[in-house]
Amino acid sequence: MTRLLPILLAVLLIAHPSRAAAPWPDPDSVSHVTPQEVTLDSSDPFMPSDIGRAPARHVRAMLYLPPGVPPRHPVPAVVLLHGSVGNYEERGFRYGLPLAARGVAVLVVETYASRTNLATSFIGRALHITETMFDADAYAGLRFLSRRPDIDASHVALMGFSYGGMATTYALYDTIADRLVPHGPHFAAHIAYYTPCIARFDDSRTTGAPLLMLYGGRDQLIHPDRCGEIANDLRQGGSVVTIIDYPRAVHQWDGEMQPRLIGRHLADCRFRVDRYGIVHDAGTGVAMGGWLMRGLVLAACTGSRPWPIGRDETVVAQSDRDLLRFLAHTLDDPGLAPGG
C-alpha cells in the first residue's frame, strides 16, 4: 500500500472541510495561536545502518495547533526540520504561526537543542549530529502526531530547510523510511527548501510520496545538475518530484539575515548511501562510520570560499504561494490554496 501510484494520491486522500482562501498571515499578527512544548521518542542513529540499534533519545518539539479545531474534524499537519544553524524558533515563528492560522498544525522539531550532550558548536554538530538523526526525529514527530485525535495522520507533510531539507529528501527513500517505520506511517508529502544535493542512494525506491524542491538560481550551495540527478532517481523510485528555481534567490531567502557573505559550505561534497544504509564518500569509497571519519571526509570536501545568503521579500512571497499550492494539493485541502 505504501507504493500506490503518486498520480492517485489526490484521489485517495480523505477530504477536509473547505475554507475560503486567505493571504499568508503576518506572523506578528497571529495572536490566537499559542505554541506548546512536547516531547518525542526518538533515537540517535549515526547512519541509516544504525537504525534499530541506536540509543534512545527524548527530543523536544514545539506544536502549533490551529485554534478552535472541532474534535470530529482532525486537521492536516506539517513536521518541520530546521537547518544547520539550529534556528527552530525562527522557523516556528515564520511557518508555524501562519500555517496554524490557516488550519494546519505544525510540529517544529528541536534536533540540535535536544542533543547538547553530543555537541553545541557549529562544527561539533556537523560531526556528531547527523542527517539520519534528523530523520529519526522526523518520523518520531509523525508517530507522535498520528496518536492525536485532532490530527489527520494520513495528511502530514515533512518540510525542511538546507541541512534539514537534506534530511527531508533522505526521509523519502525506503532505505530510511522502512528502517525507521517498517509498517508506517509515512509522510503524505515532502518539501525541501534550498537543499544541497550531495548524496545519492544506491536503492532509489521511495515511499511514493511527492517531493517539492525549492532553490535559488544564485545559491552557490546548489548544483542544479546534481539536484536533477537526484530528482530523476526519486522519480524512478516511485515519487513525483517538482523543482522550482527562483532565479534571483540566494541561500535562505526566507530567513532573517540581511544579504551578506558567509564562509564554508558542503556544496562540493558527494556521498553515496549503499543498500545496507552505510554512507560513503563517493570519490574514495570511505565509509563515514563515526564522527572521526565523517570529520576527515567533510574536511576534504568542504569549501571555504565565501558565498551569499540573505532574505529576499519578493522571493518569499513567491515561495509562500508555491508552498501553499503544493500543500493544498498534497494535503487535499483547497482552503490552503493562495488567493489571488
Side-chain angles (χ1 to χ4, degrees):
M1 295 296 292
T2 60
R3 295 188 177 86
L4 292 174
L5 292 175
I7 195 66
L8 298 178
L9 181 64
V11 178
L12 295 177
L13 295 177
I14 302 171
H16 292 282
S18 297
R19 301 185 305 279
W24 185 270
D26 180 351
D28 286 318
S29 70
V30 180
S31 59
H32 52 299
V33 175
T34 302
Q36 53 187 276
E37 185 170 308
V38 299
T39 301
L40 313 177
D41 295 322
S42 187
S43 59
D44 285 351
F46 197 82
M47 293 192 297
S49 59
D50 298 319
I51 295 172
R53 53 193 178 92
R57 169 76 61 174
H58 292 306
V59 170
R60 298 194 304 275
M62 297 301 294
L63 178 62
Y64 296 76
L65 286 174
V69 177
R72 295 190 179 182
H73 293 287
V75 297
V78 171
V79 174
L80 192 152
L81 302 179
H82 59 70
S84 59
V85 179
N87 49 353
Y88 59 87
E89 291 177 340
E90 175 188 318
R91 293 303 178 189
F93 177 80
R94 176 68 181 81
Y95 291 95
L97 291 174
L99 285 174
R102 291 188 68 120
V104 178
V106 178
L107 184 69
V108 184
V109 182
E110 302 178 7
T111 294
Y112 283 158
S114 301
R115 292 179 170 84
T116 54
N117 67 309
L118 294 183
T120 56
S121 68
F122 183 87
I123 293 177
R125 291 184 308 208
L127 296 180
H128 295 276
I129 303 175
T130 68
E131 52 275 17
T132 310
M133 296 179 195
F134 274 71
D135 284 333
D137 292 354
Y139 278 102
L142 180 57
R143 288 193 300 270
F144 169 83
L145 292 174
S146 69
R147 295 194 292 265
R148 294 182 60 99
D150 52 354
I151 302 296
D152 182 352
S154 66
H155 291 74
V156 180
L158 178 62
M159 182 165 72
F161 302 84
S162 194
Y163 196 79
M166 285 174 22
T168 295
T169 304
Y170 301 166
L172 186 54
Y173 289 95
D174 281 351
T175 300
I176 301 289
D178 282 356
R179 284 176 165 84
L180 284 170
V181 282
H183 307 292
H186 291 153
F187 289 100
H190 296 238
I191 307 107
Y193 277 68
Y194 35 85
T195 299
C197 299
I198 62 176
R200 296 184 71 179
F201 283 61
D202 286 355
D203 185 349
S204 64
R205 291 176 298 171
T206 76
T207 66
L211 169 67
L212 174 64
M213 299 176 70
L214 308 169
Y215 57 71
R218 296 173 53 221
D219 189 340
Q220 295 181 17
L221 272 68
I222 301 297
H223 291 287
D225 56 337
R226 288 165 61 181
C227 290
E229 289 176 347
I230 290 174
N232 287 333
D233 290 344
L234 291 165
R235 291 176 183 126
Q236 293 175 10
S239 289
V240 171
V241 181
T242 302
I243 297 177
I244 300 179
D245 179 352
Y246 305 107
R248 63 175 283 176
V250 298
H251 200 72
Q252 202 171 316
W253 67 76
D254 60 334
E256 297 303 317
M257 288 187 182
Q258 294 303 308
R260 69 186 69 178
L261 293 176
I262 62 175
R264 306 201 68 81
H265 60 80
L266 301 176
D268 296 328
C269 298
R270 304 193 70 157
F271 304 145
R272 180 178 66 86
V273 184
D274 69 24
R275 296 177 183 274
Y276 303 101
I278 299 173
V279 182
H280 303 262
D281 175 67
T284 65
V286 171
M288 299 165 61
W291 71 267
L292 180 57
M293 292 307 302
R294 180 179 173 90
L296 292 173
V297 170
L298 290 178
C301 67
T302 300
S304 58
R305 184 182 67 254
W307 49 279
I309 191 171
R311 186 173 180 87
D312 187 315
E313 295 292 349
T314 300
V315 181
V316 167
Q318 293 173 337
S319 63
D320 286 348
R321 289 192 295 268
D322 291 331
L323 170 65
L324 290 177
R325 288 191 188 96
F326 182 75
L327 290 177
H329 175 68
T330 57
L331 300 186
D332 193 29
D333 193 337
L336 285 172

